[in-house]
Amino acid sequence: MTNFSVTRRQCLQAAGVFAAAMALGPRSLFAQSAPRTVRLGVGLKSLNASVINLLIGEALGYNAAEGFTVKGMAVGGNANVQVAVDRGDVEVGIAVPSYALPILAKGEWGEAISFYQYTYPYKWDVAVKPGSALKSYADLKGKNIGVSDFGGTEYPVTRNVLKNLGIDPDRDVKWTAVGGGVPAGVALQRGAVDALAYYDTGFGLIEGAGIPFEILTRPQGLPMIGGQFLMTLRERLKTDRALMVGFGRSAAKASTFLLANPTAGAKAFLKLYPETAPRGSSEEEAVKAVLVAVSRRIKLYQPPYPGFKMGQINPDEFTTEMALNGMEAKDLSRFYTNDLIDDINAFDAEAVKAQAMSYNG
């Protein structure tokens, strides 16, 4: 007798493909019977809801319709993601300009290229304890600012913002690595730091833990920098173009789904990654925890630029960030492309929204 077993994620994938068939676009009826595995490199120590729109396509049938299954891999840091992409250890990785642009400016950029912007600026803030005397970014001069770690995106981005305000990020403030998530909130709460620079989903984790904080008002003229991107090797983009289009299309559909019904998206995520739910929480509490974590991020899935399509890259973000750091790159075409965007967006967005509204988990 044959011993046949099916994993929870395989069941979800099979069930989701039928429910989503009308929303998936031209490839939905012709997906490969044996889907390819796409390894996604993420600069986190463990997978969490901050990359929800890159993962839930597995549960919603979007990945299966494009002939692949995704394997999320938390590799611990942005530099590690870059190395994993360059070596071919992952097919797709998350590109972070604050790490990549200095390499590009030196003329040492490798063969990776960004092809889809999965979250747009601006996602960083600075928090203080309730009732703090610090009321603006100008008040941060001479203070101790906490960051999750010095490899986190909030560190270089907040440095750039302070520099833009005339505050020397090396001489006028002190920086302290306090850890990510709840430990960062605890450090602020206990006064280990005067303020905490962090990103949207990080603050969501702190808020979900019941730690109070106040967000300083963002300064005017905030530079539109710090978007995050999907990257792959340039050669793979040529040889596996349909697969990369499919990955981007799945992310675009998932983003559209989440914008239409965040609660449904949270349920889909928890079915894939039940281990991310707070220990001992009910289903309702777990869904709420995901929503608290991602509520700020979901708003950043759509491009803030008139006439742009989902995932389209604006190179002005790169030139702005480089100018803030006294850098220049003569050829940005080595770093990004929008050549896949039209094909990525070739799906019925209204059908995806209807699927989101009728999703029951």
Side-chain angles (χ1 to χ4, degrees):
M1 179 179 295
T2 301
N3 182 21
F4 179 74
S5 63
V6 179
T7 68
R8 179 184 184 89
R9 291 180 190 175
Q10 287 171 333
C11 287
L12 287 168
Q13 182 182 18
V17 67
F18 294 110
M22 295 302 292
L24 297 180
R27 292 195 60 199
S28 60
L29 300 180
F30 306 99
Q32 299 174 20
S33 58
R36 296 177 59 180
T37 297
V38 176
R39 296 165 296 180
L40 170 67
V42 181
L44 298 169
K45 294 180 179 178
S46 61
L47 292 179
N48 61 46
S50 65
V51 288
I52 186 173
N53 61 329
L54 305 182
L55 299 173
I56 63 170
E58 195 75 14
L60 299 175
Y62 302 156
N63 295 354
E66 301 294 343
F68 74 91
T69 181
V70 68
K71 180 181 180 181
M73 301 176 65
V75 299
N78 298 319
N80 294 343
V81 174
Q82 190 68 57
V83 171
V85 171
D86 289 341
R87 290 181 176 177
D89 294 334
V90 298
E91 285 72 35
V92 179
I94 292 179
V96 179
S98 59
Y99 172 81
L101 292 177
I103 301 174
L104 183 68
K106 293 177 182 178
E108 300 173 359
W109 187 249
E111 294 301 314
I113 187 167
S114 296
F115 64 91
Y116 181 92
Q117 187 160 359
Y118 83 92
T119 180
Y120 289 88
Y122 181 86
K123 63 181 67 66
W124 295 269
D125 282 291
V126 175
V128 295
K129 292 173 64 173
S132 170
L134 305 180
K135 302 299 181 184
S136 70
Y137 279 57
D139 296 332
L140 295 173
K141 189 172 184 178
K143 303 301 181 183
N144 184 4
I145 304 175
V147 294
S148 63
D149 64 64
F150 295 122
T153 54
E154 70 272 16
Y155 178 59
V157 171
T158 306
R159 286 174 57 88
N160 279 332
V161 172
L162 294 180
K163 187 184 300 182
N164 201 42
L165 295 172
I167 298 175
D168 189 322
D170 292 313
R171 298 180 179 181
D172 294 339
V173 297
K174 177 182 177 182
W175 302 92
T176 301
V178 294
V182 176
V186 171
L188 178 65
Q189 187 179 44
R190 293 181 176 176
V193 291
D194 301 307
L196 176 66
Y198 214 4
Y199 50 83
D200 50 1
T201 53
F203 281 124
L205 294 172
I206 296 171
E207 186 177 0
I211 299 174
F213 58 86
E214 295 178 354
I215 298 290
L216 295 181
T217 300
R218 291 176 176 177
Q220 293 184 348
L222 204 63
M224 290 294 282
I225 59 174
Q228 293 178 310
F229 307 80
L230 299 179
M231 65 177 166
T232 191
L233 290 175
R234 189 175 288 101
E235 184 61 27
R236 180 171 283 118
L237 201 64
K238 295 178 181 178
T239 59
D240 271 342
R241 187 181 190 280
L243 182 63
M244 294 300 106
V245 168
F247 194 95
R249 187 181 292 149
S250 178
K253 291 172 185 171
S255 299
T256 302
F257 185 102
L258 283 157
L259 284 162
N261 190 345
T263 298
K267 290 180 178 179
F269 177 78
L270 288 166
K271 287 197 171 186
L272 289 169
Y273 301 95
E275 68 276 11
T276 62
R279 185 174 300 178
S281 62
S282 65
E283 180 181 1
E284 182 180 357
E285 291 169 336
V287 168
K288 182 179 179 181
V290 172
L291 291 175
V292 169
V294 303
S295 60
R296 295 176 176 89
R297 175 66 57 90
I298 289 174
K299 301 173 185 177
L300 303 178
Y301 292 160
Q302 291 181 315
Y305 314 112
F308 272 52
K309 296 182 178 181
M310 189 80 82
Q312 186 173 346
I313 298 170
N314 186 348
D316 288 348
E317 293 182 21
F318 307 141
T319 54
T320 297
E321 184 165 347
M322 296 184 85
L324 282 171
N325 290 283
M327 300 183 299
E328 183 180 0
K330 296 180 179 179
D331 185 12
L332 284 172
S333 66
R334 290 187 54 78
F335 184 65
Y336 85 100
T337 179
N338 278 317
D339 289 348
L340 278 61
I341 296 301
D342 286 345
D343 289 341
I344 284 173
N345 282 275
F347 66 93
D348 188 342
E350 293 305 315
V352 171
K353 293 174 185 177
Q355 180 195 4
M357 299 311 297
S358 63
Y359 183 83
N360 292 317

